[in-house]
Amino acid sequence: MTTEINFDGIVGPSHNFAGLSHGNLAATQNAGTVSYPRRAALEGLAKMRANLALGLTQGILLPHDRPNRRWLAALSTDYAHAPPLLRAQAMSASAMWAANAATVSPASDTTDGRCHITAANLVTMPHRSHEARETRRQLAIAFADPAHFAHHAPIPAPFGDEGAANHMRLAPTHGEAGIELFVFGRSGGAFPARQSREASAAIARAHGLDPARTLFIEQSNVAIGAGAFHNDVVAVANERILFVHEQAFADREAAHAAIRQAAPWADIVEVPADAVSLADAVASYLFNAQLVTPPDGATTLIVPVEAAQNGRVAAWLDRMRAGNGPIRRIETVDVRQSMANGGGPACLRLRVVADARTIDPRFLVDPAKLERIAEVITDHWPEQIHPGQIIGPKPDLALVDSIDAARRALIDLLGIPELHDA
Ligand code: SUG
């Protein structure tokens, strides 16, 4: 049966706050503070458990090998000798934000009837630019069946591509043909626009999308400037529903008109700026929610606790619920450690519409497997990391050993020995 599966990035043992993402306000504000990798990873598992309890199908992607020695070697250095910034960039656990792993077009949208996957190049941020190789490898293993999946090489630099975080899909139901919306940025004022139109257009061509059902929409500079470094900080779509901030797009009227024309059945749920400002949207991550259809059919918005705690956002959510809108249920999850680096519930997952039987079962989870993963995390993930252990004058090499051992233990538990070799 074709269904939507959320693949969450397991938070890696090197999770830390080095403040590497210019334009990502949470990450910048928390730069230099102590991180809690074990707690972060357990928060992620709790979110997956809650999604399973809703009746959703859940998958995982694994942390990448960190520090990325191959990348440092390509820069003619190694972890012990690299300058502090390179050390931090090599050590980032940013692959946890699986929404940036790839762009996925389900089989019902593509000309050859296969699900097409393009790993994101993430070239705008140095610490993310070295994720693509390992991401491709994991995706190739998880979605190995060529009868159902087609994989494409990342878009070449300099055309920035940050994957599903800037890609939305509207369809009457997940399994039916839909329209795909690529949101690109041109400028964010002081902050970089991370998704280029060229990359989005190339992906649409590679995936064999029907031009009549493919839209390219420019993200508003104001939103990027307010800290919406990805479109998924101001919009999320699920089946017929587009949940979007009034100031998400550069030309709101044209964007809405194009969506209505390509998908007359779409339901646009817009949050006006005078109810929730861009600043509140960015601080609360209201839109970085998972918008999902559990088996009972009641469209559910899974928001971070920060959204429920923001008075104006909570008031808007209450009004929406009372107004009998298409979003029927709201769930709250605590992913505070990821949030502190600018990654909400939606950042942590990559959506794939497919038949679960065509996917490598080692990348799918049930409550019992999550329990075993939690044990490995509890036993092996560092309790805390002080950024000084990474960017200080003398890097903590014992920390590196413990991070290596932690990843090895997880790979062994899941039985994916192919991933041992970096
Ligand atoms: O790319 N944070 C990530 C957050 C990604 C969120 N993803 C989505 N919106 N889909 C980023 O900015 C911070 C890491 C650091 O500073 O160490 C970071 O990379």
Side-chain angles (χ1 to χ4, degrees):
M1 191 193 64
T2 297
T3 179
E4 181 187 80
I5 308 171
N6 287 280
F7 288 80
D8 275 45
I10 294 179
V11 178
S14 71
H15 161 65
N16 71 90
F17 297 124
L20 301 175
S21 272
H22 182 53
N24 169 341
L25 302 184
T28 308
Q29 277 152 15
N30 290 300
T33 60
V34 173
S35 64
Y36 296 89
R38 189 183 304 163
R39 188 193 303 165
L42 293 175
E43 286 173 357
L45 291 191
K47 171 166 97 73
M48 292 191 234
R49 224 176 265 124
N51 283 1
L52 286 174
L54 285 175
L56 303 172
T57 309
Q58 183 67 50
I60 48 170
L61 291 170
L62 279 73
H64 295 188
D65 194 25
R66 293 291 178 265
N68 189 337
R69 296 168 181 90
R70 178 187 289 268
W71 186 66
L72 289 172
L75 292 161
S76 301
T77 187
D78 61 22
Y79 190 70
H81 300 96
L85 182 58
L86 272 191
R87 248 186 264 142
Q89 289 165 341
M91 195 59 137
S92 178
S94 51
M96 72 174 82
W97 298 298
N100 304 120
T103 304
V104 182
S105 295
S108 50
D109 292 352
T110 66
T111 38
D112 69 0
R114 294 187 296 166
C115 174
H116 283 248
I117 302 176
T118 299
N121 65 23
L122 291 162
V123 293
T124 305
M125 296 284 160
H127 69 288
R128 305 214 60 179
S129 67
H130 56 92
E131 289 175 32
R133 184 178 182 277
E134 172 67 13
T135 298
R136 278 184 88 181
R137 177 163 81 145
Q138 291 195 29
L139 295 174
I141 299 171
F143 308 102
D145 185 344
H148 297 283
F149 298 99
H151 295 268
H152 302 275
I155 299 301
F159 306 115
D161 170 34
E162 306 244 335
N166 298 306
H167 172 252
M168 300 186 288
R169 181 168 184 268
L170 291 163
T173 62
H174 287 305
E176 289 174 80
I179 64 164
E180 298 200 13
L181 281 62
F182 291 83
V183 183
F184 63 93
R186 242 186 259 276
S187 154
F191 297 152
R194 298 208 211 171
Q195 184 75 32
S196 70
R197 191 185 210 285
E198 291 79 1
S200 297
I203 293 168
R205 288 191 291 270
H207 289 196
L209 300 179
D210 175 354
R213 293 189 285 117
T214 307
L215 302 181
F216 299 96
I217 299 176
E218 186 183 345
Q219 199 186 357
S220 79
N221 301 346
V222 191
I224 300 174
F229 53 94
H230 289 137
N231 171 67
D232 69 2
V233 175
V234 282
V236 60
N238 179 64
E239 297 194 321
R240 290 172 186 272
I241 304 170
L242 172 63
F243 179 49
V244 61
H245 191 271
E246 184 183 356
Q247 291 167 292
F249 305 134
D251 184 342
R252 172 192 172 276
E253 283 71 28
H256 288 208
I259 293 166
R260 290 218 166 84
Q261 197 194 354
W265 36 263
D267 200 342
I268 302 180
V269 179
E270 185 180 55
V271 180
D274 61 10
V276 175
S277 66
L278 272 178
D280 277 328
V282 171
S284 71
Y285 265 36
L286 166 63
F287 297 92
N288 201 260
Q290 285 185 253
L291 189 58
V292 294
T293 315
D296 68 5
T299 301
T300 301
L301 189 70
I302 303 167
V303 298
V305 284
E306 287 81 350
Q309 286 167 353
N310 176 303
R312 287 173 295 274
V313 169
W316 189 86
L317 286 171
D318 284 345
R319 281 203 299 282
M320 184 203 51
R321 241 184 314 219
N324 232 4
I327 300 175
R328 309 301 312 154
R329 197 189 288 145
I330 301 194
E331 299 282 340
T332 304
V333 289
D334 177 357
V335 287
R336 282 192 176 91
Q337 281 291 304
S338 170
M339 283 286 287
N341 249 339
C347 298
L348 286 162
R349 60 92 178 97
L350 180 69
R351 294 189 280 189
V352 179
V353 172
D355 183 335
R357 290 169 306 186
T358 64
I359 296 169
D360 188 321
R362 295 175 296 177
F363 290 84
L364 296 171
V365 292
D366 58 17
K369 197 193 270 192
L370 285 180
E371 211 40 62
R372 294 197 297 275
I373 296 174
E375 281 165 23
V376 166
I377 288 170
T378 305
D379 288 348
H380 294 277
W381 261 233
E383 202 222 323
Q384 57 177 58
I385 297 180
H386 191 286
Q389 291 174 269
I390 299 168
I391 53 171
K394 254 183 76 143
D396 181 347
L397 299 180
L399 173 67
V400 174
D401 290 343
S402 70
I403 288 167
D404 279 339
R407 183 167 179 275
R408 271 201 306 275
L410 179 65
I411 290 172
D412 287 343
L413 170 79
L414 297 171
I416 319 181
E418 305 93 297
L419 296 180
H420 271 315
D421 149 38

Coordinates of all heavy atoms in Angstrom, one line a residue, residues 16-21 24 27-28 92 94 97 99-100 122 125 127-128 162 165 194 229-230 232-233 285 288 341-344 346-348, ligand 1:
N16 N 26.1 19.7 18.7 CA 26.7 20.8 19.5 C 26.3 22.2 19.0 O 25.6 22.2 17.9 CB 28.2 20.7 19.5 CG 28.8 21.0 18.1 OD1 29.1 22.2 17.8 ND2 28.9 20.1 17.2
F17 N 26.6 23.2 19.7 CA 26.1 24.5 19.4 C 27.3 25.4 19.0 O 27.9 26.1 19.8 CB 25.4 25.2 20.6 CG 24.1 24.4 20.9 CD1 23.9 24.0 22.2 CD2 23.1 24.2 20.0 CE1 22.7 23.3 22.5 CE2 21.9 23.5 20.3 CZ 21.7 23.1 21.6
A18 N 27.8 25.3 17.8 CA 28.9 26.0 17.3 C 28.5 27.3 16.6 O 29.4 28.1 16.2 CB 29.8 25.2 16.4
G19 N 27.2 27.5 16.4 CA 26.8 28.7 15.7 C 27.2 28.9 14.3 O 27.7 30.0 13.9
L20 N 27.1 27.8 13.5 CA 27.7 27.8 12.2 C 26.8 28.4 11.1 O 27.2 28.6 10.0 CB 28.1 26.4 11.8 CG 29.1 25.7 12.7 CD1 29.4 24.3 12.4 CD2 30.4 26.5 12.7
S21 N 25.5 28.5 11.4 CA 24.5 28.8 10.3 C 24.1 30.3 10.4 O 23.1 30.6 11.0 CB 23.3 27.9 10.5 OG 23.5 26.7 9.8
N24 N 20.3 31.7 10.6 CA 19.5 30.8 11.4 C 19.6 31.4 12.8 O 20.6 31.2 13.5 CB 20.1 29.4 11.3 CG 19.5 28.4 12.3 OD1 18.9 28.8 13.3 ND2 19.7 27.1 12.0
A27 N 20.3 29.1 16.0 CA 21.6 28.6 16.1 C 22.6 29.7 16.5 O 23.5 29.5 17.3 CB 22.0 28.0 14.7
T28 N 22.4 30.9 16.0 CA 23.3 32.0 16.3 C 23.2 32.4 17.7 O 24.2 32.6 18.4 CB 23.0 33.2 15.3 OG1 23.0 32.7 14.0 CG2 24.0 34.3 15.5
S92 N 30.0 18.9 12.9 CA 28.5 19.2 13.0 C 27.6 17.9 12.8 O 27.9 17.1 12.0 CB 28.1 20.2 12.0 OG 26.7 20.5 12.1
S94 N 24.7 18.1 11.8 CA 23.6 18.7 11.1 C 22.8 17.8 10.1 O 21.7 18.1 9.7 CB 24.1 19.9 10.2 OG 25.2 19.6 9.5
W97 N 18.9 16.9 10.4 CA 17.8 17.6 9.8 C 17.5 17.0 8.4 O 17.9 17.5 7.4 CB 18.0 19.1 9.8 CG 18.2 19.6 11.2 CD1 17.2 19.5 12.2 CD2 19.3 20.1 11.8 NE1 17.7 20.0 13.4 CE2 19.0 20.4 13.2 CE3 20.6 20.4 11.4 CZ2 19.9 20.9 14.1 CZ3 21.5 21.0 12.3 CH2 21.1 21.2 13.7
A99 N 15.0 16.9 6.6 CA 14.3 17.6 5.6 C 15.2 18.2 4.6 O 14.8 18.6 3.5 CB 13.4 18.7 6.2
N100 N 16.5 18.3 4.9 CA 17.5 18.8 4.0 C 18.3 17.7 3.3 O 19.3 18.0 2.7 CB 18.5 19.8 4.7 CG 17.8 20.9 5.4 OD1 17.9 21.0 6.7 ND2 17.1 21.7 4.7
L122 N 23.5 21.2 -0.4 CA 23.8 22.0 0.8 C 25.0 22.9 0.7 O 25.7 23.1 1.7 CB 23.8 21.1 2.0 CG 22.5 20.4 2.4 CD1 22.7 19.2 3.3 CD2 21.5 21.4 3.0
M125 N 26.3 26.4 3.1 CA 26.9 26.4 4.4 C 28.1 25.4 4.5 O 27.8 24.2 4.3 CB 25.9 26.0 5.5 CG 24.8 27.0 5.7 SD 25.4 28.5 6.5 CE 24.1 29.7 6.0
H127 N 29.6 23.7 6.8 CA 29.4 22.6 7.7 C 28.4 21.6 7.1 O 28.3 20.4 7.5 CB 29.0 23.0 9.1 CG 27.7 23.6 9.3 ND1 27.3 24.8 8.8 CD2 26.5 23.1 9.8 CE1 26.0 25.1 9.1 NE2 25.5 24.0 9.7
R128 N 27.5 22.0 6.2 CA 26.5 21.2 5.6 C 26.9 20.6 4.2 O 26.3 19.7 3.7 CB 25.1 21.9 5.6 CG 24.7 22.4 6.9 CD 23.2 22.4 7.1 NE 22.7 21.0 7.0 CZ 21.5 20.6 7.2 NH1 20.5 21.6 7.4 NH2 21.1 19.4 7.1
E162 N 18.7 22.8 -1.0 CA 18.6 22.3 0.4 C 17.5 21.3 0.6 O 16.9 21.1 1.7 CB 18.5 23.5 1.4 CG 19.7 24.5 1.2 CD 20.6 24.7 2.3 OE1 20.2 24.5 3.5 OE2 21.8 25.1 2.1
A165 N 13.2 20.8 2.4 CA 12.8 22.0 3.2 C 12.3 23.1 2.3 O 11.6 24.1 2.8 CB 14.0 22.5 4.0
R194 N 19.3 30.2 0.4 CA 20.0 29.0 0.3 C 19.5 28.1 -0.9 O 20.2 27.1 -1.2 CB 19.8 28.2 1.6 CG 20.4 28.8 2.8 CD 20.9 27.8 3.8 NE 20.8 28.2 5.2 CZ 20.9 27.3 6.2 NH1 21.1 26.1 6.0 NH2 20.9 27.7 7.4
F229 N 15.3 30.8 7.0 CA 16.3 30.4 6.1 C 15.9 29.3 5.2 O 16.6 29.0 4.2 CB 17.6 30.1 6.9 CG 17.4 29.0 7.9 CD1 17.6 27.7 7.7 CD2 17.0 29.4 9.2 CE1 17.4 26.7 8.7 CE2 16.7 28.4 10.2 CZ 16.9 27.1 9.9
H230 N 14.8 28.6 5.5 CA 14.2 27.6 4.6 C 12.7 27.9 4.5 O 12.1 28.4 5.5 CB 14.4 26.2 5.1 CG 15.8 25.6 5.1 ND1 16.3 24.9 6.1 CD2 16.7 25.7 4.1 CE1 17.6 24.6 5.8 NE2 17.8 25.0 4.6
D232 N 10.4 25.9 4.8 CA 9.6 25.2 5.8 C 9.5 25.8 7.2 O 9.0 25.3 8.1 CB 10.1 23.7 5.9 CG 11.4 23.5 6.5 OD1 12.1 24.5 6.9 OD2 11.9 22.3 6.6
V233 N 10.1 27.0 7.3 CA 10.0 27.8 8.5 C 8.7 28.7 8.4 O 8.2 29.2 9.4 CB 11.2 28.6 8.8 CG1 11.1 29.6 10.0 CG2 12.5 27.7 9.0
Y285 N 8.4 28.5 15.5 CA 8.4 27.4 14.5 C 7.0 26.8 14.3 O 6.9 25.6 14.1 CB 9.4 26.4 14.9 CG 10.8 26.6 14.2 CD1 11.2 27.9 14.0 CD2 11.5 25.5 13.8 CE1 12.4 28.1 13.3 CE2 12.7 25.7 13.1 CZ 13.2 27.0 12.9 OH 14.4 27.2 12.2
N288 N 7.0 25.0 11.2 CA 7.9 23.9 11.0 C 7.3 22.7 11.7 O 8.0 22.0 12.5 CB 9.3 24.3 11.6 CG 10.4 23.3 11.0 OD1 10.8 22.4 11.7 ND2 10.7 23.6 9.8
N341 N 19.1 24.7 17.7 CA 19.9 24.9 16.5 C 19.1 25.2 15.3 O 19.6 25.1 14.1 CB 20.7 23.6 16.2 CG 22.2 23.8 16.5 OD1 22.7 25.0 16.5 ND2 23.0 22.7 16.7
G342 N 17.8 25.6 15.5 CA 17.0 26.0 14.4 C 16.3 24.9 13.6 O 15.9 25.0 12.5
G343 N 16.2 23.7 14.3 CA 15.6 22.5 13.6 C 14.3 22.1 14.4 O 14.4 21.5 15.4
G344 N 13.2 22.3 13.8 CA 11.9 21.9 14.4 C 11.5 20.5 14.0 O 12.2 19.8 13.4
A346 N 9.5 19.5 11.7 CA 9.5 19.2 10.3 C 10.9 19.1 9.7 O 11.2 18.4 8.8 CB 8.7 20.3 9.6
C347 N 11.9 19.8 10.4 CA 13.3 19.7 9.9 C 13.8 18.3 10.1 O 14.7 17.9 9.3 CB 14.2 20.7 10.6 SG 13.8 22.4 10.4
L348 N 13.4 17.7 11.1 CA 14.0 16.4 11.5 C 13.5 15.2 10.6 O 14.0 14.1 10.7 CB 13.6 16.1 12.9 CG 14.4 16.9 14.0 CD1 13.7 16.8 15.3 CD2 15.9 16.4 14.1
Ligands
SUG1 O1 20.9 24.3 8.2 N1 21.2 24.3 11.7 C1 20.5 23.8 10.5 C2 19.0 23.7 10.8 C3 18.3 23.1 9.6 C4 16.8 23.2 9.8 N2 16.2 22.5 8.7 C5 15.0 22.9 8.1 N3 14.5 24.1 8.3 N4 14.5 22.1 7.3 C6 20.8 24.8 9.4 O2 20.8 26.0 9.6 C7 23.2 24.7 13.1 C8 24.4 24.0 13.3 C9 25.5 24.8 14.1 O3 25.4 26.0 14.0 O4 26.4 24.2 14.6 C10 22.5 24.2 11.8 O5 23.2 23.7 10.9

